[in-house]
Amino acid sequence: MNFDLIVLGSGPGGYVAAIRASQLGMNVAVVEKAEPGGICLNWGCIPTKALLKSAQVFNYFKHSEDYGIINEGVAKPDFNKVIARSREVAANMSKGIEFLFKKNKITVIKGFGKLISAGKMLVTKEDGTTEEITANNIILATGARSKEMAGFKQDGKNIIGYREALSLEKLPQSMVVIGSGAIGTELAYFYSSMGCEVTIVEFLPEIVPLEDEEVSKQLARSFKKAGIKVMTGTSVKNVEVSDGKCTVFYTDKKGDAQIECEVVLSAVGVTTNIENIGLEEVGVKTEKGKVLVDEFYRTNISGVYAIGDIVPGPALAHVASAEAICCVEKIAGQNPPVIDYSNIPSCVYTVPEIASVGQTEKDLKEKGVEYKTGKFPFIASGKAAAAGNKDGFVKLLFDASTDELLGAHFIGDNITEMIAEMVVLKKLGGKAKDLIKSIHPHPSLSESIMEAAAAAHNEVIHL
């Protein structure tokens, strides 16, 4: 079978590429070995958020009297139903992708795809049969999986990755989470909320180490207040499993020690899925586990493109989708703008939530950039006080000479819904004065952005 475009993988990069290509008049095939939607829809972003919503509802029950609501019964989570709801949400989203494929007349070929040449792919199906398909252009969007570490290889039962964490059959009594990025912290919060005793172990000095240092410290305080033990500057040497229990051997500033738990969640990052897809045979260049591409996601082989987690850049669903659109529009002969990787929003859906875009204070200091800081704490926000969630703040960084936004760092309740304003402002070259003069609704958490901008100019608007 011959197509204008073959897309290998149907995650947020792959399915967006396929749909956009179809809209532009291409005859498109998607090759996918698993569920439509990839890891994000099925085993990542979406089911995780469903679990966190259950945790939020349960926490409201536990603290209902703080809001004047008498709860005379006993609220407790049904762990299996919580997991089942999460899986149902993921399944429905995956079905939605199937519907979009049909609506856009995209051919879906179930199986494992491998490049044979620049314009040819061999698909091995579940029953072992194979099929060759051809296209003028091929986009590789195979994503990533949980990274395996030598000292604590995942066995799927005692030492697990994020996939198993989303489908456990019973709630463990205790869990050690190794790694404190988005995956580690979100799942740590969920399991702690369900009643599991959770310890986070992070090698670097702060949890969520890619975030602004003040944000990291605030999340650590909030986690400790929620009963989550946080151990930073700690190196895990290995994990031993005996009689269904795990012993985590680690080293910190005090020396060697160990901690026991029922389950270890390995959340130390991801590994790209680039093995056995024909890169070496065809001659596609890679470096440090990533496929090398130009600004329009062209590899060194004509007609072969790569997007998403397998190329250099942030491994985020919305980045993969943006890369997909840019790549496909270039293939279609359009002239799309290249992606500005300095203006990519990042969100962590813990409680409190984290959202950021642009540079941190550490970045600016290392580069010697003169900047102004504006900060507004949610303890001074009427909306946050009314909601009963006052942990966190809005922190904005502006160029000292031009007043343009350089970075925005939020931590608080529901602030992931606010970061897009900062992305747009930064894209347009907006300044602190623009925020100060833009009317924000009161009461709202969003007015904290205006207040933080005012603070950068030593102005006080109102409390």
Side-chain angles (χ1 to χ4, degrees):
M1 298 177 68
N2 185 61
F3 299 90
D4 297 320
L5 174 68
I6 297 170
V7 182
L8 181 58
S10 69
Y15 80 73
V16 170
I19 292 169
R20 184 64 182 133
S22 177
Q23 291 171 344
L24 294 173
M26 297 185 206
N27 180 21
V28 184
V30 170
V31 178
E32 174 58 67
K33 66 175 183 176
E35 309 95 336
I39 291 297
C40 177
L41 259 67
N42 295 283
W43 298 101
C45 316
I46 304 305
T48 305
K49 304 311 164 284
L51 294 180
L52 291 169
K53 186 63 181 182
S54 292
Q56 180 189 51
V57 171
F58 181 43
N59 282 325
Y60 274 136
F61 269 108
K62 289 192 290 185
H63 298 283
S64 65
E65 292 191 11
D66 294 342
Y67 297 87
I69 307 299
I70 304 298
N71 180 12
E72 295 182 343
V74 178
K76 61 181 182 180
D78 184 326
F79 185 74
N80 290 332
K81 286 186 177 180
V82 169
I83 295 293
R85 175 182 180 272
S86 170
R87 301 310 314 143
E88 183 181 1
V89 169
N92 287 337
M93 292 298 294
S94 184
K95 290 175 183 176
I97 301 301
E98 290 181 346
F99 170 77
L100 290 174
F101 284 160
K102 290 178 182 177
K103 179 182 177 183
N104 288 279
K105 298 180 173 59
I106 295 165
T107 300
V108 178
I109 302 173
K110 192 85 168 176
F112 186 90
K114 182 176 181 178
L115 287 173
I116 300 175
S117 64
K120 187 180 293 185
M121 182 172 290
L122 179 70
V123 181
T124 303
K125 301 181 180 180
E126 288 183 0
D127 61 5
T129 61
T130 60
E131 178 183 1
E132 285 190 8
I133 55 176
T134 58
N136 296 327
N137 301 285
I138 295 175
I139 296 177
L140 307 175
T142 50
R145 63 187 185 277
S146 183
K147 182 185 288 185
E148 290 273 12
M149 300 296 286
F152 40 97
K153 282 190 172 294
Q154 298 171 28
D155 59 20
K157 184 179 180 182
N158 299 106
I159 305 174
I160 63 174
Y162 60 79
R163 190 176 183 119
E164 292 83 10
L166 296 175
S167 56
L168 288 181
E169 294 181 357
K170 69 180 184 69
L171 179 69
Q173 293 182 346
S174 57
M175 174 184 287
V176 170
V177 179
I178 305 174
S180 69
I183 294 172
T185 52
E186 287 180 8
L187 289 171
Y189 179 79
F190 166 71
Y191 275 97
S192 174
S193 297
M194 292 293 103
C196 177
E197 182 181 327
V198 176
T199 301
I200 295 176
V201 179
E202 170 57 53
F203 174 74
L204 294 171
E206 304 290 346
I207 60 172
V208 285
L210 296 181
E211 300 297 335
D212 187 88
E213 189 173 317
E214 281 193 85
V215 169
S216 298
K217 290 182 182 299
Q218 175 61 63
L219 184 64
R221 287 194 296 270
S222 296
F223 269 15
K224 289 174 182 176
K225 187 165 65 174
I228 301 171
K229 185 177 181 180
V230 176
M231 298 166 57
T232 54
T234 303
S235 175
V236 175
K237 298 165 65 178
N238 67 293
V239 177
E240 292 183 1
V241 180
S242 178
D243 296 327
K245 296 291 183 181
C246 300
T247 303
V248 180
F249 295 89
Y250 65 89
T251 302
D252 60 12
K253 61 183 179 181
K254 297 179 181 178
D256 293 341
Q258 62 191 60
I259 182 173
E260 292 187 351
C261 62
E262 188 175 341
V263 172
V264 169
L265 170 59
S266 178
V268 292
V270 296
T271 299
T272 54
N273 296 320
I274 61 172
E275 307 95 337
N276 305 316
I277 61 172
L279 300 184
E280 297 84 357
E281 292 87 340
V282 176
V284 175
K285 289 184 179 179
T286 64
E287 185 177 283
K288 297 180 180 178
K290 298 277 189 175
V291 179
L292 299 179
V293 293
D294 68 7
E295 69 272 26
F296 294 111
Y297 310 99
R298 296 174 290 210
T299 70
N300 61 301
I301 302 299
S302 179
V304 178
Y305 303 77
I307 59 173
D309 293 357
I310 64 172
V311 302
L316 298 169
H318 45 283
V319 173
S321 297
E323 291 172 346
I325 293 171
C326 178
C327 178
V328 167
E329 290 182 349
K330 188 65 175 179
I331 291 172
Q334 298 185 2
N335 189 31
V338 298
I339 293 175
D340 178 5
Y341 286 94
S342 71
N343 196 23
I344 301 293
S346 175
C347 297
V348 182
Y349 298 84
T350 47
V351 175
E353 292 181 347
I354 295 172
S356 62
V357 66
Q359 300 178 82
T360 65
E361 280 204 80
K362 182 180 178 182
D363 295 333
L364 297 175
K365 288 175 181 177
E366 288 177 349
K367 294 175 182 177
V369 177
E370 294 292 326
Y371 65 93
K372 298 177 292 187
T373 303
K375 188 175 175 183
F376 187 82
F378 285 127
I379 197 170
S381 163
K383 181 64 179 295
N389 297 302
K390 296 184 287 185
D391 279 1
F393 53 83
V394 166
K395 179 180 179 179
L396 303 179
L397 306 172
F398 300 96
D399 188 288
S401 58
T402 68
D403 200 37
E404 290 186 2
L405 180 70
L406 299 176
H409 305 278
F410 302 171
I411 181 168
D413 188 39
N414 291 326
I415 49 77
T416 55
E417 304 296 338
M418 293 160 47
I419 196 65
E421 180 181 355
M422 300 292 90
V423 177
V424 173
L425 184 81
K426 193 170 184 297
K427 181 177 178 61
L428 298 177
K431 303 179 180 182
K433 285 291 185 181
D434 295 319
L435 287 175
I436 296 170
K437 298 303 181 183
S438 296
I439 299 174
H440 287 66
H442 176 79
S444 70
L445 294 179
S446 68
E447 65 185 329
S448 300
I449 296 171
M450 177 180 64
E451 299 279 9
H457 280 265
N458 296 315
E459 299 177 16
V460 176
I461 298 177
H462 56 68
L463 293 179

